[in-house]
Amino acid sequence: MPPGAGPFKGGFPAAPRGKSPAPRARGRGFPSAFRPPRPCHVMLPRQPARGGGRRAVARGGAAAGGGPWRGRSGAREASSLATAVAPGPRVSSMASAPTSKYNSHSLENESIKRTSRDGVNWDLSEAVPRLPGETRITDKEVIYICPFNGPIKGRVYITNYRLYLRSLETDSALILDVPLGVISRIEKMGGATSRGENSYGLDITCKDMRNLRFALKQEGHSRRDMFEILTRYAFPLAHSLPIFAFLNEEKFNVDGWTVYNPVEEYRRQGLPNHHWRITFINKCYELCDTYPALLVVPYRASDDDLRRVATFRSRNRIPFSGSDFPDHLACPWNVLSWIHPENKTVIVRCSQPLVGMSGKRNKDDEKYLDVIRETNRQISKLTIYDARPNVNAVANKATGGGYESDDAYHNAELFFLDIHNIHVMRESLKKVKDIVYPNVEESHWLSSLESTHWLEHIKLVLTGAIQVADRVSSGKSSVLVHCSDGWDRTAQLTSLAMLMLDSFYRSIEGFEILVQKEWISFGHKFASRIGHGDKNHADADRSPIFLQFIDCVWQMSKQFPTAFEFNERFLITILDHLYSCRFGTFLYNCESAREKQKVTERTVSLWSLINSNKDKFKNPFYTKEINRVLYPVASMRHLELWVNYYIRWNPRIKQQQPNPVEQRYVELLALRDEYIQRLEELQLASSAKLPDPSTSPAGPSQMMPHVRTHF
Amino acid sequence: MFSLKPPRPTFRSYLLPPPQTDDKINSEPKIKKLEPVLLPGEIVVNEVSFVRKCIATDTSQYDLWGKLICSNFKISFITDDPMPLQRFHYRNLLLGEHDVPLTCIEQIVTVNDHKRKQKVLGPNQKLKFNPTELIIYCKDFRIVRFRFDESGPESAKKVCLAIAHYSQPTDLQLLFAFEYVGKKYHNSATKINGIPSGGGSGAVGGSNQKTPFFETYSDWDREIKRTGASGWRVCSINEGYMISTCLPEYFVVPSSLADQDLKIFSHSFVGRRMPLWCWSHSNGSALVRMALIKDVLQQRKIDQRICNAITKSHPQRSDVYKSDLDKTLPNIQEIQAAFVKLKQLCVNEPFEETEEKWLSSLENTRWLEYVRAFLKHSAELVYILESRHLSVVLQEEEGRDLSCIVASLVQVMLDPHFRTITGFQSLIQKEWVMAGYQFLDRCNHLKRSEKESPLFLLFLDATWQLLEQYPAAFEFSETYLAVLYDSTRISLFGTFLFNSPHQREFAISKNIQLGDEKGLKFPSVWDWSLQFTAKDRTLFHNPLYIGKSTPCIQNGSVKSFKRTKKSYSSTLRGMPGSLRNGIISDPDLVPRRNSLILKAKPDPPPPPTSQDHGAEQYFREWFSKPADLHGVILPHVSGTHVKLWKLCYFRWVPEAQIHLGGFITAFHKLSLLADEVDALSRTLRQHRAGSLDAGHAGPDESRMYFRVSAHATPGTPDFLSSAFPFSPVGNLCRRSISGTPLSKFLSGAKIWLSTETLANED
């Protein structure tokens, strides 16, 4: 197709509009839109999204040096933490002797075991884990009111990263290790005159489905400084303090920030091609500050076209003034998320059209959708999945939004997926917490679970994603997904559909890329949804949308135990660090904000932690498959509450860790290797006196190569 | 009236020949044109041709054409058409692909579309209309549907009536097993007594152990010795069923009770069912079951005598702990009611409509609650036996219903022997068949009693919960449990047909007039070769269990994992020091105590257990440690742990099937690895023996269904699904199974046949 032959006139790369972009290291010197004359590979620098200069390995080792509070050995501590499984919140209840044994399956690091065995003689400074860059603030004697084992006397240590509590009772090994980022709310309980034992203290609500209660002495306002310090470091934004990720000086031998490179990822999908091109129209985030710099759009849509469309697809803000109102600028155009390698149908995403009460139309937008429809040579209609319930979409018209009407979009079919909004999800998760923490509702467990509607929401999200995946994989039509803003439900649907369609995303790195791409770069508002370092616990913007996505992934991995390279621990680790603020990965609402804060330069990526120790996160049953589309059964008959995540603090409910089936498999693998080794030895020994044993069919010499290739 | 040449489906391209059936077709003589395959003694009662078997409800394009017959054993649909869309079929040698044993039929519904009439057919009933449709609801949760549009209306009607009649026999003697045994006997008079004489080798592929039947003195004697029960003896006062017709001929009693005393006491017990020993812990505590003492005057005296005797048989003279099951557990009617609701919910009700309220509906059936109750109660008794060193007496009115479940579960938890296939089978012989569980009434083979109750299924379900929680502790797989359940619905095996051992023996000698009755027996269900090929039987093996019986190489010498019978439970408490405080530093490094890799030296002796440990404390401590799979296993019984046994209840529900998914896909990978480990260990043994012909370690020795082979492509075989090895294809009266699982989402329309909610309008 010759350039400019499309329905749009003058579609050739337009110069960046107006004021020149703020000086930045990356992407400069390249055309804002790249249109290959032929379907060939774009010759771009390997990492246009990031400039050179930044070193993968974090800044020097100075921090590991001295300090009164340093760990036994700085390096050792760092690495042991790096490998700790759930380095975030640890098991909350290694309580008194008998009950603490409940936690025998918990994932603990070695230092804890060591100290608890040493009894009273342990050295204070040795025992508190510390990350490079982590500094001690205070410590205090408190009573931890364990919901499972009752009050336990302990000493709490507060750093700028964590709250760490160790039991002072000799027969108890209780350890609490809670990153401050997990804290959503700190309340004082009781007053100076409160009666009753342990009635005066602090009640800390966490984002990870638990509460911590500490009782302190009533004399002399003993809780005041603890309250103030915790508030200060758990909510640094309110106190003009940096989030810990910017202080973290951990080093890993892998740089997680290099995992995702959009150009490489699009190239893997075979893009750009005849119909799709890569554009840098948004390279300075001027057009839309919640979109990434690099986008894939139809070949036939010029950058000017994109600008015109943008006005219709965002909310009632003028797109170009976006940076002042980052929260109100939604995802303006349909941009490509994924293209089917064979039938060339695509998944595109955006926000709702600005139809409004009057039923406004936008010719450019209509044309634009038609161009998308035509990219795969199919004449069928374009399928639009509006993630919302029908009524919500209608209601959105009142605020200027809406949905694509039949008469305006002749060549599109619209379906509503009935997924509720962030507020509904937040309330639903609250109810889940009510029935699982601290005690699991036993008498009517199933109906209580049903009344939370959590699994029902999971079901709807999965059902929607299945529909998207099916449309695309069957080649029926290309699919456009949007909700209201295009960064919550849309991200869930596109990423889950891609996980079903593309086995690449089921590998560890592939999944990291998927999260990095569909969630982080496309502007899921992590900062608002999680509230990193923010004290406003009741903020209506908070919602467990990403958690819900990970839950859906877990449900899929339960239904397809061999399809994912990663295991449950991988998912839990991601969730732990979604809150911990130890890594920069989930900070901020969008790519432009991250750029501004130089997150990739100043913080460490979660993927550095994971990829430098991948074995811990691998599913032994993983069988690599190409081109298999996964269709989970989104039925209440199969969906389960993720007990190992939501109820993990309860020692009585906690399921066996590690999973016995996995464990057994690993044991068998080891046994097999041992046998093979024995056989080799025997063969060596016997080869002297016996005829060549390799002629026997079951001889190890034939078994082994086969064995190795098979797994 | 109807065309002589029925229209045959012309569209065939969708028919995928099932990949697995090739060898079967070759290995067996090709079935002659629409001729039924009959067992010895089986006769065709009625038949009708040009019948359509419905495969999908929203389209008839997959329907199969053939002949429907009713024999005295089964209903059989014979067709030349291959099964569409079915990728795998686990073949039962006694039954064809479309067959349903008569004893498996729950309900027969006939429909006439045109007249809009329907009727649930009972025996000896008249049918006033010519049926156009026949729907069979099966006890194993299947629903089969036939249409008679092209059949002769009279013959269709006759077949329906025949099925109704033969599936609801009025007398025990009419069950097919009698025909089969008689015929087998006559046909094979010249051979060595024809039928498998009931030895019931537990051979499931590989192992040659026989399942003890507990019909003889020596079986009981061996069990006493195996458990090390001193103070107990085999009692033969019931030889020839002189004392009681619902007790076995031989059973075990306290040594201190003389035969004469027992004879006197027996009159006071309900059904003359005096105390029966089940099992002894290595600490000497015994598990005993007995009926209530009906003689009020004698009650206290006899009770005292019995308890004293049990105490005397305990090496530590410990007290007796009595557990009144009637007061603590749901009764048989409640269990039956729960099961009916469960079945209704899982199988009969429209899939989509039950989705929204699924969890609360499931809770309302109370089935899981009852499973929990039995597990919990059994676990408490484990505590009494194991930790408090007391003997336990299970009391129940007749001592032959709930006692069977509880006695079996306690033993499964305590004794790893009963987690092997042979052990599990011997447990069922001991605590169910010989103890007089009324299979005939509870399975309702004669379809007339109000006594139906799925206690045996409840036991299998509870066992499945344990298997689910301790997947490496059992030699058998969940397929084995499901197949075992199905076997109770085939009226061939003496094991599951009678109310007591006496009834079985008496029935056969009365019915079949022969010289040597003693030599004649009904086939045993444990003779699995009657139902499955050796290859198919390997699916019973749990690949996670592999390695337990495999010799492990250690320090250059091969040691067996076989444990002495006394050590298995007493080693439970020993803990490596590093685990004492309940923290594992790194789960990858710390092996389980039964780890294959690092087999620890004999554990230190258990610390003395104080007597006042509460059950709560006992459970807490137990759960705080890694489970010793060769020792006691205790169930988690919280609501989050007790789950629905999906394979059993969903296997015929197409919508619930996860294609290429489910636990079976991990099972498949495990099997391949276990097979390899097995092969390697065989090779090693041969090497050690200095044998040159290592080639004999052929695949035939393998105990795994899925094997490593040169041709197998890596990856998941495409016939696997969460329902494997069963296939819901062809089980109908529900929505289409064609295409992707999406049909249910995409078409909002509810295509649920009106016949589903049939009321019986006569």
Side-chain angles (χ1 to χ4, degrees), chain B residues 597-671:
Chain B
I597 315 155
L598 306 164
K599 184 62 189 167
K601 280 181 234 151
D603 298 307
T609 316
S610 60
Q611 288 289 319
D612 56 347
H613 272 195
E616 175 88 347
Q617 173 100 358
Y618 171 77
F619 292 132
R620 276 187 179 207
E621 269 186 36
W622 191 88
F623 283 115
S624 70
K625 299 165 193 162
D628 174 6
L629 302 180
H630 274 301
V632 181
I633 54 169
L634 291 175
H636 296 266
V637 293
S638 74
T640 56
H641 284 106
V642 176
K643 297 174 183 166
L644 190 68
W645 183 11
K646 289 178 194 161
L647 178 73
C648 187
Y649 306 121
F650 291 156
R651 57 191 158 146
W652 307 115
V653 181
E655 295 97 325
Q657 194 181 17
I658 306 168
H659 181 53
L660 278 168
F663 174 68
I664 190 72
T665 55
F667 182 99
H668 168 252
K669 285 211 75 174
L670 268 163
S671 299

Side-chain angles (χ1 to χ4, degrees), chain A residues 94 99-110 112-113 116-117 149 173 442 444-447 449-450 455 459 463 466-467 470 559-562 569 616 620-623 625 628 631 633-638 640 643 647 652-653 655-656 658 660-661 663-665 667-672 674-676 678-679 682-683 690 696-698 700 703 706-707 710-711, chain B residues 345 351 354-360 362-363 368 372 469-472 543-544 546 548 550-553 556 578 580-587 592 594-597 620 623-626 638-641 643 646 650 655-663 665-666 669-670 672-673 676-677 679-681 683-684 687 692 694-695 708-709 715-716 740-742 745-746:
Chain A
M94 318 255 119
T99 42
S100 69
K101 289 173 185 163
Y102 268 122
N103 288 298
S104 57
H105 302 297
S106 62
L107 319 166
E108 282 303 318
N109 76 22
E110 228 172 307
I112 293 162
K113 192 182 78 192
S116 55
R117 255 198 287 159
N149 302 304
E442 273 294 341
H444 293 284
W445 166 246
L446 291 175
S447 46
L449 181 58
E450 183 177 283
L455 290 180
K459 175 183 164 162
T463 303
I466 291 169
Q467 292 190 52
D470 180 58
Q559 295 194 15
F560 300 100
T562 62
R569 182 186 297 181
K616 289 231 171 215
F621 296 112
Y622 178 55
T623 311
E625 282 168 309
R628 181 177 147 204
Y631 287 115
V633 176
S635 155
M636 296 308 288
R637 285 155 170 85
H638 286 293
E640 285 175 47
V643 169
I647 322 188
R652 291 170 183 89
I653 299 297
Q655 291 185 339
Q656 293 176 67
V661 180
Q663 159 117 1
R664 197 81 192 150
Y665 190 78
E667 283 175 5
L668 278 174
L669 280 175
L671 188 64
R672 186 193 63 183
E674 194 185 313
Y675 280 167
I676 289 173
R678 289 289 307 162
L679 265 178
L682 277 169
Q683 264 187 328
L690 296 174
S696 61
M703 180 78 74
H706 169 64
V707 157
H710 195 82
F711 292 91
Chain B
L345 179 68
F351 189 91
T354 47
E355 274 289 284
E356 193 188 340
K357 294 275 168 214
W358 173 259
L359 294 173
S360 53
L362 183 59
E363 182 177 285
L368 292 179
R372 282 170 70 185
Q469 294 179 16
Y470 302 97
L544 287 160
I546 286 293
K548 297 286 168 62
T550 315
C552 178
I553 299 131
S578 61
R580 277 263 157 72
N581 55 28
I583 295 171
I584 300 181
S585 60
D586 184 335
R592 282 153 174 260
N594 64 322
S595 162
L596 292 172
I597 315 155
R620 276 187 179 207
F623 283 115
S624 70
K625 299 165 193 162
S638 74
T640 56
H641 284 106
K643 297 174 183 166
K646 289 178 194 161
F650 291 156
E655 295 97 325
Q657 194 181 17
I658 306 168
H659 181 53
L660 278 168
F663 174 68
T665 55
K669 285 211 75 174
L670 268 163
L672 294 179
L673 180 57
E676 235 183 281
V677 169
L680 280 165
S681 81
T683 317
L684 263 177
H687 266 273
L692 292 184
V708 180
S709 85
T716 310
T740 66
L742 307 177
F745 305 120
L746 300 181

Side-chain angles (χ1 to χ4, degrees), chain B residues 210-222:
Chain B
K210 269 190 158 189
T211 298
F213 276 36
F214 293 97
E215 283 173 349
T216 60
Y217 186 98
S218 57
D219 280 351
W220 286 104
D221 199 44
R222 262 195 295 275

